[in-house]
Amino acid sequence: MSNQQQAKKGVNKWLVTLLTIVVIGAFGATAYGMLQDSNPMTMYMKAQKNTMEDQMERIEEYTGSNKEIYDRQLEEAYETDGNVTMDLKVDGQQIQQAFPQMGMIQGILSTLKIEYNSKINPESKETFASADLTMQGNSIANGSFYQNEETAAVQAPFVYDQYFALGNDELGAFVERMGESSEGLNELPNLAEYSQMQLTVEETEEILQDYVMTLGKQLNEEQFSLSEGATYEGEKYDKVTVEISEEEAHDMLVAVLEQVKEDERIWDILDQQAALQQGVNSVSGEDMKADINKAIENVDSIKIPGGITIEAYLKDDLVAHQTWNMALQPENEEKVSMEITSDYSKENEDRYTSSVDMKVMPESEEGAFTLSYKEDGKSSKDGMHIDHTIGVNSDMPSESFDMTLVLNSDLTEEGSKTDFNVELSGDLFEQQPVPSISGFVNMKTTEEGEDSFNRNVDYGLNLSMNDPMMGDMAAEIELNVEQNITFSDDLSFPELKEGNTVRVMDQSDQELQQIGQEIEYNFQQHIGSLLGGFGGLGGF
């Protein structure tokens, strides 16, 4: 196969993926103020909008603090003080015999702590970060990083008490001086500036609405039909059927791609990311626009035999059930049928269930590959309890497996507690021992003042397995993160000056070699001091 054919095949594949997302997205939210008349199109779009908002508003009550912190961190100066601790427990007679040092390792990890501090000021474009690794309260290693508009500097006080500074535009020259190829890494991007380029939740919603409006303009009333009093699983609904031809689906995709080409908001973010990567594994904006033009030219190569058919059952201005059916066939590839079903049942304000299943069926094989998601939510004493089930399943002869992630979450205004369990079965896992995987993620955010927040996050992972060679084995890993986040314009940063800073590119090779020898000597002295202080680690 020629390079041109491979490139075209690659374009076809991501066109298929984008087309699917585009069409689903179009009907997910197109009703934002587009139509006022009472007709099947309006009924369906209004019900879709109501269904989405009903689910999102229910969760927003419990994510407000985290959303506020995220948005403010993109715009304001702030400081974070925190620490990370962990614990490890390993059981299993064979493991203990094979690794007699396991007890010592567990003891060491349980006494380790990482204390860290970070500051970002978007106005002065300064960033600072420091970390100190301690064991039993004694510092093992510490270091810090500072950057302003002109200079970046690092310091490791446990081996050298001065900062090593480099101009942001001297990175490539430094790498070359060390005898390595810079490979495009010529300049260190300003991290404070880069951190501000992320989108706020409001900006993301604005972009989404713009594209929804673009898609909505491609729809017309003739594509929608209504059947009142239709029966589904023994109940009566208003049934709306939507028929989208292959040509109309192509037009929707082209409209979105044309808008992406002209959307400076997206290109500004991509340009910043490319600058941070300095050309390493990144694609230029011009190359991406060329790919979009090629995709537009090749859109007709995606065959959608029969177009797209949607059947939606509406009740109480909500979409209670809907099914999507389509077949996609990129040029010179086999046809793949897709079926997407969704259900939403709202018993009352305190109880609901929601599910989405996407089934992919290749023409050349029996069976299907299925992605599934289900929510079962109800009010609790302090907030809401939600059971989530996320599944990936294949019953095709070539690959049979079932992977399910079950999450049980309790949400309150201050945070959440989630237990999870992973279930693995099928032919894919029968030839080897399969571990039992479970754990938890607990988060609590407390507002301590208008500009101060405390956040605690605990992660836990439990693994167990019966191995024919090693017998019963089990491990419990826990990670605890504590953070204090303060928003303030009065942040202090290091002052790089003569006496506390080594300007790396101003040093001769001989001076750098001498500094390297001094660092090596200090490191050996530090290790010796640690081993003596901890009794050679025999205390564990």
Side-chain angles (χ1 to χ4, degrees):
M1 182 181 293
S2 69
N3 291 336
Q4 185 176 2
Q5 289 174 319
Q6 288 178 334
K8 188 173 182 181
K9 186 175 181 180
V11 170
N12 284 340
K13 284 188 174 180
W14 74 263
L15 266 175
V16 170
T17 304
L18 183 57
L19 178 63
T20 304
I21 295 172
V22 161
V23 176
I24 293 173
F27 291 94
T30 310
Y32 288 92
M34 288 193 57
L35 297 171
Q36 301 298 327
D37 300 329
S38 179
N39 56 48
M41 182 176 180
T42 305
M43 290 175 62
Y44 176 71
M45 295 302 184
K46 180 181 178 182
Q48 277 283 23
K49 175 177 178 288
N50 290 343
T51 304
M52 292 179 64
E53 289 183 347
D54 193 69
Q55 297 178 78
M56 293 172 64
E57 289 173 359
R58 185 181 286 110
I59 302 301
E60 282 181 359
E61 180 180 351
Y62 307 104
T63 58
S65 294
N66 291 321
K67 177 179 176 293
E68 178 187 350
I69 292 172
Y70 174 78
D71 284 350
R72 291 184 66 178
Q73 285 178 327
L74 295 179
E75 299 175 354
E76 301 179 33
Y78 69 95
E79 178 177 9
T80 302
D81 283 303
N83 66 77
V84 180
T85 59
M86 71 172 298
D87 195 15
L88 171 66
K89 296 179 181 179
V90 178
D91 294 320
Q93 185 176 357
Q94 294 294 330
I95 291 181
Q96 299 294 339
Q97 292 177 356
F99 303 98
Q101 299 86 6
M102 183 58 68
M104 182 184 72
I105 294 172
Q106 294 179 81
I108 291 174
L109 291 177
S110 66
T111 64
L112 288 178
K113 176 187 284 189
I114 300 175
E115 299 176 343
Y116 63 91
N117 172 267
S118 66
K119 306 173 189 178
I120 292 182
N121 188 329
E123 185 175 346
S124 64
K125 298 184 180 179
E126 290 177 282
T127 299
F128 174 81
S130 66
D132 188 3
L133 176 63
T134 67
M135 183 166 64
Q136 295 183 342
N138 298 293
S139 178
I140 296 177
N142 51 18
S144 62
F145 170 85
Y146 169 68
Q147 185 187 39
N148 55 36
E149 287 189 272
E150 295 83 25
T151 306
V154 295
Q155 181 189 39
F158 74 105
V159 292
Y160 205 79
D161 61 357
Q162 296 192 44
Y163 279 95
F164 291 93
L166 198 68
N168 290 330
D169 59 358
E170 294 178 331
L171 179 61
F174 172 73
V175 173
E176 297 285 350
R177 181 176 176 180
M178 294 298 103
E180 302 292 337
S181 172
S182 64
E183 297 183 355
L185 292 170
N186 298 316
E187 184 175 349
L188 184 65
N190 185 275
L191 299 183
E193 189 176 51
Y194 176 76
S195 69
Q196 309 308 304
M197 291 302 299
Q198 311 306 309
L199 293 173
T200 66
V201 175
E202 184 177 341
E203 288 169 339
T204 302
E205 291 175 350
E206 180 183 329
I207 290 176
L208 175 61
Q209 186 168 338
D210 288 346
Y211 282 86
V212 161
M213 295 296 288
T214 297
L215 288 166
K217 293 176 183 177
Q218 304 300 312
L219 302 174
N220 59 75
E221 296 180 25
E222 288 72 24
Q223 296 166 319
F224 296 76
S225 60
L226 173 65
S227 175
E228 296 179 338
T231 302
Y232 178 78
E233 293 187 350
E235 294 191 33
K236 298 290 185 179
Y237 297 88
D238 289 331
K239 178 184 176 183
V240 175
T241 302
V242 188
E243 298 284 353
I244 302 174
S245 69
E246 180 179 63
E247 182 180 357
E248 290 166 339
H250 289 165
D251 291 342
M252 294 171 72
L253 178 56
V254 169
V256 171
L257 291 174
E258 291 285 2
Q259 183 167 344
V260 169
K261 276 200 317 181
E262 305 301 326
D263 197 333
E264 294 301 324
R265 298 167 299 186
I266 293 176
W267 295 112
D268 285 345
I269 294 173
L270 293 176
D271 287 344
Q272 284 290 328
Q273 292 176 342
L276 186 69
Q277 292 177 280
Q278 293 284 300
V280 179
N281 296 324
S282 66
V283 181
S284 71
E286 292 303 317
D287 288 341
M288 294 185 69
K289 289 181 180 180
D291 286 341
I292 290 176
N293 286 329
K294 185 181 294 185
I296 292 173
E297 293 173 4
N298 291 315
V299 70
D300 290 337
S301 67
I302 299 178
K303 305 304 177 185
I304 312 175
I308 302 170
T309 301
I310 305 169
E311 294 181 342
Y313 294 82
L314 315 182
K315 195 170 190 178
D316 299 327
D317 288 332
L318 297 172
V319 180
H321 173 83
Q322 66 178 326
T323 302
W324 298 54
N325 281 289
M326 70 185 83
L328 301 176
Q329 187 170 16
E331 192 174 22
N332 300 322
E333 296 186 33
E334 71 170 318
K335 183 170 71 174
V336 176
S337 297
M338 297 180 64
E339 181 182 86
I340 303 171
T341 60
S342 64
D343 292 275
Y344 182 63
S345 174
K346 179 182 175 182
E347 296 182 13
N348 50 54
E349 293 299 326
D350 299 324
R351 176 80 180 183
Y352 77 97
T353 59
S354 176
S355 66
V356 178
D357 295 288
M358 182 174 74
K359 186 178 294 185
V360 180
M361 296 159 284
E363 187 177 40
S364 61
E365 285 195 72
E366 295 182 359
F369 176 84
T370 305
L371 295 173
S372 60
Y373 175 79
K374 182 178 180 180
E375 279 186 27
D376 188 345
K378 60 182 178 182
S379 294
S380 61
K381 178 181 177 181
D382 299 317
M384 175 169 288
H385 177 86
I386 305 177
D387 295 324
H388 307 260
T389 304
I390 304 170
V392 181
N393 168 273
S394 172
D395 59 2
M396 293 184 289
S398 61
E399 196 170 47
S400 174
F401 63 86
D402 194 340
M403 298 186 293
T404 304
L405 174 62
V406 179
L407 304 101
N408 309 114
S409 301
D410 288 298
L411 309 181
T412 66
E413 291 184 1
E414 289 190 337
S416 62
K417 293 183 177 181
T418 300
D419 296 324
F420 66 85
N421 182 58
V422 179
E423 300 171 359
L424 307 173
S425 61
D427 296 342
L428 185 64
F429 303 105
E430 288 184 353
Q431 304 302 319
Q432 55 191 346
V434 177
S436 174
I437 305 171
S438 61
F440 63 87
V441 179
N442 299 332
M443 178 184 295
K444 182 179 180 179
T445 302
T446 306
E447 184 173 354
E448 299 186 334
E450 184 178 349
D451 297 314
S452 181
F453 299 84
N454 176 267
R455 176 186 288 161
N456 293 332
V457 186
D458 299 321
Y459 303 93
L461 179 64
N462 303 318
L463 305 171
S464 63
M465 184 171 62
N466 181 274
D467 187 283
M469 301 295 293
M470 300 292 289
D472 291 334
M473 298 181 294
E476 297 179 7
I477 306 168
E478 187 169 331
L479 197 66
N480 311 108
V481 181
E482 297 182 10
Q483 291 182 331
N484 289 300
I485 304 169
T486 304
F487 293 92
S488 172
D489 292 326
D490 186 22
L491 301 179
S492 61
F493 291 93
E495 183 180 353
L496 302 179
K497 58 185 179 179
E498 186 176 352
N500 76 345
T501 304
V502 175
R503 298 282 175 178
V504 175
M505 296 303 287
D506 293 342
Q507 307 299 307
S508 67
D509 291 345
Q510 184 179 358
E511 289 171 324
L512 290 179
Q513 184 178 7
Q514 185 177 348
I515 292 174
Q517 292 172 349
E518 187 175 345
I519 290 174
E520 184 178 355
Y521 173 79
N522 291 341
F523 180 75
Q524 292 174 350
Q525 291 292 106
H526 182 71
I527 293 298
S529 176
L530 287 177
L531 292 176
F534 294 125
L537 298 181
F540 296 95

